[in-house]
Amino acid sequence: DVLYSAIKDALVRKTGLVKYWWDDREEVRTEHYTSLDEMALFMLEQDGSVEDVELEELPPNPAMPPDPQTGQPPKLYNITVKRRIKNGRIRIEALPPEEFILDRRARSLSDFTLCGHRSMKTVSELVAMGYDEEDVRQYVTSPELDTNVEYIERQPYARAVGSFDALNPATQRVLYVEAYAFVDFDGDGIAELRRVCTMGSAYKVVFHEPVDHIPFADFHVDPEPHTFFGLSTADKTMDIQRIKTHVLR
């Protein structure tokens, strides 16, 4: 699916873009267990990923064999737990063309001053990435990319469908940019590659660090010399389509 999307973007929209990275965001989920005994309950409580445990004690079941120490039927519980999981894994996704940014003088992904990925992320997603919730909420913005021309052309009904973000604060969205730029941060006169993350329409810097690579790959159908964007199959055939349409009319 990733390769299909990237190749089709290249065929129709000049360039297909893929992003790859190590994703270590946290996942929170609720789990339900029924008829667990006290030993199983103890093991759950000792699990480091379990944050909250809700108990519902069940009525004694005479059919159960009695506890050898007390002579009574064992206590059983229905349990609901909140589990926070942090499993790092490699993620690969095809980027929508309007979400990729690149300086206009760039000739390739090895010859650029700035490139990056801009997207509308939910408050929940940013908190899972490690940002503080209170800090994130001050950058909640209008969904700027929803009015992008390329986005609307690709899915015109998205503009007509209402949003329920206001009803659920965790899904309110923030303009988040993950940019890679060459900056002389240490003052030695040589620009080094840094990852700079910003939030909000004012592009407030919330995180930056030195890096040794950019997590993007590009696909081109017909590359043009000395420029990043080449020609797509659509570029090479649209004039034929116009001529045929004109003749038919």
Side-chain angles (χ1 to χ4, degrees), residues 57-61 74 76:
E57 186 173 348
L58 300 178
N61 186 355
L76 299 178

Side-chain angles (χ1 to χ4, degrees), residues 121-141 169-170 172-176 199-200 206:
K121 293 192 177 297
T122 65
V123 172
S124 176
E125 288 175 325
L126 291 171
V127 171
M129 290 168 60
Y131 292 104
D132 183 77
E133 183 179 358
E134 291 185 5
D135 294 338
V136 171
R137 290 200 179 281
Q138 62 181 311
Y139 301 112
V140 171
T141 57
Q172 290 180 326
R173 300 202 289 169
V174 176
L175 178 62
Y176 183 76
M199 290 187 195
V206 294

Side-chain angles (χ1 to χ4, degrees), residues 44-102:
L44 269 178
E45 291 176 336
Q46 298 305 307
D47 190 333
S49 64
V50 172
E51 285 189 348
D52 190 23
V53 179
E54 296 180 4
L55 301 178
E56 177 191 354
E57 186 173 348
L58 300 178
N61 186 355
M64 297 287 293
D67 188 321
Q69 295 182 353
T70 64
Q72 301 294 325
K75 293 182 179 180
L76 299 178
Y77 304 90
N78 287 342
I79 301 174
T80 301
V81 301
K82 177 182 177 183
R83 191 185 297 272
R84 187 180 296 269
I85 302 172
K86 191 173 184 178
N87 290 327
R89 57 179 176 174
I90 295 175
R91 292 283 300 273
I92 303 174
E93 69 174 9
L95 292 187
E98 71 275 6
E99 292 188 3
F100 183 72
I101 55 177
L102 183 72

Side-chain angles (χ1 to χ4, degrees), residues 196-216:
V196 182
C197 301
T198 70
M199 290 187 195
S201 55
Y203 301 99
K204 174 67 176 179
V205 176
V206 294
F207 179 79
H208 62 89
E209 65 176 351
V211 292
D212 58 2
H213 73 284
I214 60 172
F216 303 112

Side-chain angles (χ1 to χ4, degrees), residues 11 221-222 224 231-241:
L11 290 169
V221 174
D222 187 7
E224 285 288 300
L231 296 177
S232 67
T233 301
D235 290 328
K236 301 173 71 172
T237 57
M238 278 191 293
D239 57 338
I240 300 175
Q241 181 182 7

